[in-house]
Amino acid sequence: MPDHLTITNATIACMDASEDGYGLIRDAALRVQGERIDWVGPMADLGDTSAEAQVIDVGGRLVTPGLIDCHTHIVHGGNRAREFEMRLEGASYEEVARAGGGIVSTVTATRGADEDLLLAQALSRADALIAEGVTTIEIKSGYGLDIETELKMLRVARAVGEARPVRVVTSFLGAHAVPKGADADAYIDEVCLPALEAAHAEGLVDAVDAFCEGIAFDTAQIARVFDQAVALGLPVKLHAEQLSNIGGTRLAARYGALSADHVEYADEADARALAEAGSVAVLLPGAFYTLHETQKPPVAAFRAHGVPMAVATDWNPGSSPMGSVLLAMNMACTLFGLTPAEALAGTTHHAAQALGLYDRGEIAPGMRADLAIWDVEEPAELSYRIGVNPLYKRIFGGRA
Ligand code: NIG
Ligand code: FE
């Protein structure tokens, strides 16, 4: 396998925060050495490539950074199609959860599945994302709610990254739901905190997440989980302000969170807090769509305060059974009013930031050569079509 790769005759969206939102260079080329981008610029400056081992002429196609899905729950057992039917018959997400469905029903299925089955199912979901040019996937635990199953989920998440050419980033989400019959505070002390410690000791945790909501945990309970994350040196992120505003976003900001996710019910003060903390707002339009929500995230306030916005699938069996980052981008534009440039920044540059990864999500010398090459002329086409996958080629760490 040659160590060098040159891509010629491309339109390149560098996603380097330049004024057009794309950092677009037409008639462009880029050089890769090993796993990293070495050079990017106009074809006119490329020089002679006749002696180069691997030159890919992409015939004017679009090159972007490999896409990053920065919020998923793709390791889980079972499915919740019956709940989909219940909600269509009129039950709300909260009513389904209180009736013993929702997250805790996926917990039962996940506890009952062995690692091989969980891995096989997670790989088929990862493959769907990879087929759309995704090169980095965040995967959460949170359907175990006991020590053994939380660790099992995280081991499976790590195994996805070993079985496929994709970088997996794990988030420990022990504080996702209160198990049936348990007391929330006792659950945090007796299960969640010991599970976090054990998972961290096994090297299974890259970040710590939680669900701050009336049907899950309050800010005081989550603060205890975050305190332990801080003690272990792990960054935090939070499912915040999805169904109501109970102060999750400000809590996340106080802990310098990588991101606050969902944030439909966040307000102006929350946007200011995220900006001051340097946290990313992760928008999850698949959950908004699936749950027939009407409260939209405060995109204008995020823009006004300079809060970076990421976009992700939130792929999970309940609120967002959606296996397409391109569809998430389309929905972020159509439902939340993002521009296509913001949507693409949301699945590249800002998604990388939401994961605390600063070596990807942008095309520039020194960045990882994780690239997606698309059969489109204009970058807005990636958000514009629905149910169409124009991926031409995907490159992971310099390997086509
Ligand atoms: O991100 N909000 C909490 N967690 C998931 C839902 C998980 C589920 O319903 O299974 C979410 O939407
Ligand atoms: Fe989620």
Side-chain angles (χ1 to χ4, degrees):
M1 182 71 70
D3 204 28
H4 290 66
L5 168 69
T6 302
I7 294 174
T8 62
N9 288 316
T11 297
I12 301 181
C14 295
M15 304 314 294
D16 58 356
S18 56
E19 230 166 65
D20 69 347
Y22 294 117
L24 205 66
I25 321 177
R26 294 190 193 271
D27 296 316
L30 72 81
R31 279 205 164 93
V32 171
Q33 182 154 21
E35 290 194 337
R36 304 268 155 190
I37 295 164
D38 195 34
W39 178 85
V40 54
M43 280 296 285
D45 296 345
L46 176 64
D48 183 19
T49 57
S50 56
E52 291 184 22
Q54 206 187 355
V55 179
I56 306 179
D57 180 337
V58 296
R61 291 183 176 83
L62 176 72
V63 180
T64 68
L67 301 186
I68 298 170
D69 194 351
C70 69
H71 181 139
T72 86
H73 307 250
I74 62 167
V75 173
H76 64 80
N79 77 74
R80 307 229 297 272
R82 174 61 198 130
E83 269 174 35
F84 176 62
E85 291 177 319
M86 281 168 70
R87 286 201 312 274
L88 288 170
E89 285 156 14
S92 72
Y93 184 64
E94 281 139 308
E95 281 163 359
V96 169
R98 290 190 203 285
I103 293 169
V104 294
S105 83
T106 299
V107 168
T108 307
T110 305
R111 286 179 182 170
D114 66 21
E115 272 184 44
D116 289 348
L117 178 63
L118 284 179
L119 179 60
Q121 294 179 341
L123 283 175
S124 88
R125 297 178 193 122
D127 286 341
L129 296 174
I130 287 168
E132 275 194 345
V134 170
T135 48
T136 299
I137 307 175
E138 185 262 14
I139 305 178
K140 302 175 194 297
S141 70
Y143 292 121
L145 310 185
D146 63 29
I147 297 175
E148 187 193 331
T149 316
E150 287 296 307
L151 266 67
K152 177 173 76 174
M153 289 185 70
L154 292 167
R155 282 190 209 110
V156 169
R158 284 276 190 251
V160 170
E162 281 150 27
R164 294 291 187 270
V166 71
R167 167 74 187 271
V168 168
V169 176
T170 58
S171 297
F172 173 82
L173 179 56
H176 192 199
V178 183
K180 229 190 202 143
D183 169 76
D185 283 300
Y187 170 76
I188 296 283
D189 289 331
E190 290 158 24
V191 180
C192 184
L193 296 177
L196 172 53
E197 199 159 333
H200 174 67
E202 248 191 68
L204 295 173
V205 186
D206 297 323
V208 174
D209 196 349
F211 186 18
C212 187
E213 194 56 66
I215 53 169
F217 298 92
D218 64 26
T219 51
Q221 289 157 342
I222 288 165
R224 287 196 280 137
V225 180
F226 281 3
D227 284 338
Q228 199 192 9
V230 171
L232 296 172
L234 294 168
V236 302
K237 43 178 54 242
L238 189 61
H239 287 70
E241 269 68 74
Q242 180 186 10
L243 308 168
S244 60
N245 189 320
I246 61 165
T249 305
R250 266 160 294 157
L251 175 80
R254 268 208 304 286
Y255 280 83
L258 290 172
S259 67
D261 301 38
H262 290 287
V263 291
E264 280 91 337
Y265 283 81
D267 58 23
E268 176 91 27
D270 294 322
R272 203 175 316 119
L274 289 179
E276 281 163 13
S279 306
V280 176
V282 178
L283 309 185
L284 304 169
F288 174 91
Y289 166 86
T290 301
L291 301 181
H292 300 244
E293 292 292 340
T294 53
Q295 172 85 23
K296 298 185 184 196
V299 166
F302 293 149
R303 284 185 188 128
H305 291 282
V307 178
M309 291 180 281
V311 174
T313 61
D314 192 16
W315 194 348
N316 73 68
S319 67
S320 189
M322 180 168 84
S324 168
V325 179
L326 294 174
L327 183 54
M329 289 164 62
N330 171 271
M331 286 180 171
C333 294
T334 303
L335 300 175
F336 295 162
L338 263 62
T339 66
E342 286 173 326
L344 186 56
T347 56
T348 56
H349 192 80
H350 294 154
Q353 199 179 329
L355 298 178
L357 298 174
Y358 304 102
D359 64 346
R360 66 196 66 204
E362 219 184 298
I363 295 179
M367 289 281 166
R368 265 187 71 83
D370 289 351
L371 304 168
I373 306 173
W374 307 93
D375 227 339
V376 305
E377 288 172 19
E378 299 297 328
E381 289 179 62
L382 297 178
S383 295
Y384 148 71
R385 292 194 186 84
I386 301 168
V388 175
N389 179 7
L391 188 75
Y392 172 72
K393 198 181 272 298
R394 173 185 177 276
I395 292 169
F396 178 71
R399 306 224 153 180

